[in-house]
Amino acid sequence: MTDSAIVTDSAIKKYLNERIPRYTSYPTAPHFSAAVGPLSYRDWLMAVPGGARLSLYLHVPFCETLCWYCGCHTSITRHRAPIERYVETLEREITHIAGLVGSHRVAHIHWGGGTPSIVGPGLFLAVISRLQQRFAVEPDAEIAIEIDPRHLDAGMAAALGQGGVTRASLGIQTLDHAAQKAAARIQSLEMTQACANRLRRAGIRDLNVDLLYGLPHETVASCEASVGAALTLNPARISVFGYAHVPAMMKHQRVIDAAALPNAEERLRQEQVIGDTLVRAGYLRIGLDHYARPDDALAKAQLSGRLRRNFQGYTDDPADALIGFGASSIGRLLQGYVQNASGIKDWGDRIEAGGLATVRGIAVTPEDDLRADIIERLMCDLQADIPAALRRHGFDAGWLDTELFELEPLVADGLARIDRGVITVPEASRNLVRRVASQFDAYLDPAAGRHAVAV
Ligand code: SF4
């Protein structure tokens, strides 16, 4: 057995500023290419076996105003016409894809954005009804939607209830007024509470909350205050992300004063105070950045080893394939990943021309599947059994000995233990699990600097 002392602060600091993928997929999205296009996707859809269970993702890339910290593909509008056109095209895409893949069972539907509730009650219910016509949506399917609490009226909340939504994610991010001002997103706790009440009155049983640390002007004290306030909503899950300042990719982030951003050590303390507060309140840590009440499905999935990782983060969704709809959406099929055109017009033109909007993707190899499995287990369970993974995927014992050998410096720094090929990331190094997982990433180019810092 290779072991080490407890991870030290200096060891953690050593890895803080490394830029590492979040591994919501493997291979990660920057490695998708035009080698996979509509023809491959068409074949992959038609090859989905009968009896497979699908998960559906719908992307709505519109918001009423832009938050300067935003890292999503979204477009700002206060007009109905572009939204109506978009939803019309989305329905067309649903019909077309359903025709290719067949009427499979659907256990999860996720509406992401942007602000998906911006479509309004009528269009929302029209899309739900189209999905129900074209797929066998299970009666107890989880239907989740991301909500901007600043813009959800009683009519839309009622439509979400009527459409069978079971889970809503409320973006709070921070209640630090200086940070809200710097991001041009003013949102009081009362506003969020009113939104949560509307959703609960509409029958939506599970509410999630999203928090961000590392925002300009945020402090350890204000992060602690934000999470304390968020707990008053009694959320089932809380996701805690570090703000990723990547102005080279997200040009609007240039408005953010980089001098007001907390440094790596402050970010770490902010992340720790939020996590400690949640654990004291009885929440279970889920993987890298989620927390769940013990009665929540995600907590149960973690305890029973069924936790999965996908583009929405952590999930208990055991679907055989994920089908994405809308501009920039990503899908995962047995054969690989596909991504739609990111531009709304580009995506719309391709769908309106009667085709698929796939512009990028990657066909996965057996080696990719093996590495993806190991990375997913590390990200979900903080543990991966390498000999068992090699057997599962039909590789010879010893095939990953180089990777195990190269883990030794991380073991020496306390980021991992290795016992007879079973890698375990100790609790104290949980927030550096990506660093351990990255040892199995055959595509990683640490010099590229396109990913968020490790904490
Ligand atoms: S509401 Fe969300 S998606 Fe829209 S701009 Fe703000 S952070 Fe981005």
Side-chain angles (χ1 to χ4, degrees), residues 3 14 21 69 86-87 95 109 115 125 140 185 191 196 203 245 251 259 271 280 284 288 305 355 361 376 396 407 442:
D3 207 335
K14 185 167 144 188
Y69 51 61
Y86 185 87
V87 173
T95 304
I109 299 172
T115 305
L125 290 171
D140 59 348
R185 177 174 174 142
M191 204 181 260
H245 190 60
K251 300 216 178 340
E271 192 268 338
R280 272 201 309 278
L284 298 182
L288 177 66
E376 186 176 35
D396 293 340
L407 265 175

Side-chain angles (χ1 to χ4, degrees), residues 184-415:
R185 177 174 174 142
I186 304 298
Q187 180 182 328
S188 66
L189 176 61
E190 292 70 27
M191 204 181 260
T192 310
Q193 280 168 333
C195 174
N197 292 342
R198 253 174 245 135
L199 290 164
R200 286 197 164 118
R201 273 198 299 274
I204 295 160
R205 50 171 204 257
D206 294 317
L207 299 186
N208 299 356
V209 155
D210 301 335
L211 294 176
L212 270 181
Y213 62 87
L215 286 170
H217 305 292
E218 265 192 315
T219 62
V220 172
S222 73
C223 284
E224 192 171 10
S226 293
V227 67
L231 282 171
T232 63
L233 303 170
N234 189 24
R237 298 177 191 170
I238 303 188
S239 7
V240 182
F241 298 123
Y243 164 58
H245 190 60
V246 281
M249 286 167 64
M250 294 287 166
K251 300 216 178 340
H252 56 264
Q253 290 183 350
R254 289 179 189 164
V255 175
I256 287 182
D257 175 11
L261 291 171
N263 65 25
E265 289 173 41
E266 286 164 335
R267 284 170 64 95
L268 179 63
R269 288 207 303 278
Q270 293 176 4
E271 192 268 338
Q272 282 169 340
V273 79
I274 294 173
D276 291 348
T277 306
L278 290 172
V279 169
R280 272 201 309 278
Y283 284 76
L284 298 182
R285 285 183 195 266
I286 308 291
L288 177 66
D289 44 26
H290 283 43
Y291 296 80
R293 278 195 326 240
D295 62 332
D296 183 80
L298 211 54
K300 292 178 186 164
Q302 170 160 279
L303 291 174
S304 57
R306 291 181 294 105
L307 192 63
R308 304 296 311 272
R309 186 134 174 94
N310 70 10
F311 288 100
Q312 283 87 59
Y314 288 98
T315 179
D316 61 326
D317 179 2
D320 302 296
L322 167 69
I323 311 284
F325 300 98
S328 81
S329 67
I330 295 178
R332 170 69 159 110
L333 290 99
L334 199 59
Q335 298 85 344
Y337 292 96
V338 285
Q339 182 166 27
N340 274 349
S342 297
I344 295 171
K345 182 167 183 326
D346 189 5
W347 164 79
D349 287 349
R350 289 166 192 265
I351 300 296
E352 292 303 335
L356 294 162
T358 318
V359 292
R360 307 186 317 138
I362 190 164
V364 292
T365 64
E367 179 184 341
D368 291 333
D369 279 335
L370 165 70
R371 292 178 182 274
D373 185 1
I374 293 168
I375 289 172
E376 186 176 35
R377 283 347 307 152
L378 283 168
M379 296 296 292
C380 291
D381 305 337
L382 305 186
Q383 191 169 78
D385 183 334
I386 304 302
L390 289 169
R391 280 195 300 276
R392 253 192 326 272
H393 291 269
F395 283 77
D396 293 340
W399 203 80
L400 287 171
D401 279 358
T402 306
E403 281 77 354
L404 286 170
F405 176 73
E406 286 173 358
L407 265 175
E408 287 301 330
L410 302 189
V411 170
D413 283 337
L415 268 64

